[in-house]
Amino acid sequence: MQKANKMKKYYRDELPLSFDSIADAADFWDSHDSADYEAYMEDAQFNVDINRHVYLVPVAESVLEKVRRKAKHQGVSTETLVNMLLQEHA
């Protein structure tokens, strides 16, 4: 009986040619192992150019809360508003 289980063929879902949405692709890969589809994969060539730097600057909590409220009221992120304010005063 145990030998029969070991001899059982492994079933793999067919790889879709395309997905209707990113969510569909995510659902597929959340439930499938990419190692099972290695024969279908192609090498990809791309360059990554990372020029962005993030600087951490201490800000008083009361000031940050005011900036957050103002950013939310204007419909922008806190980061965007801080950058706009710094550009105005630089």
Side-chain angles (χ1 to χ4, degrees):
M1 193 82 149
Q2 286 182 348
K3 276 191 173 185
N5 286 340
K6 288 182 181 179
M7 300 298 285
K8 189 176 179 179
K9 282 191 173 184
Y10 176 74
Y11 174 76
R12 174 182 65 220
D13 289 330
E14 191 171 319
L15 180 63
L17 294 175
S18 65
F19 296 98
D20 292 332
S21 67
I22 292 174
D24 287 345
D27 288 342
F28 180 85
W29 291 115
D30 281 347
S31 59
H32 294 80
D33 187 342
S34 61
D36 292 336
Y37 299 91
E38 194 170 352
Y40 297 95
M41 295 184 188
E42 299 175 4
D43 289 339
Q45 298 293 324
F46 55 92
N47 295 319
V48 177
D49 185 16
I50 301 174
N51 289 320
R52 182 176 177 195
H53 298 287
V54 175
Y55 301 96
L56 303 177
V57 178
V59 177
E61 187 174 355
S62 60
V63 174
L64 180 59
E65 285 306 315
K66 288 178 185 177
V67 172
R68 283 182 174 157
R69 283 195 299 273
K70 187 171 183 176
K72 185 174 182 179
H73 178 74
Q74 292 182 9
V76 298
S77 70
T78 303
E79 179 183 357
T80 297
L81 181 57
V82 167
N83 280 302
M84 289 170 34
L85 292 170
L86 290 173
Q87 286 175 358
E88 286 176 15
H89 298 284

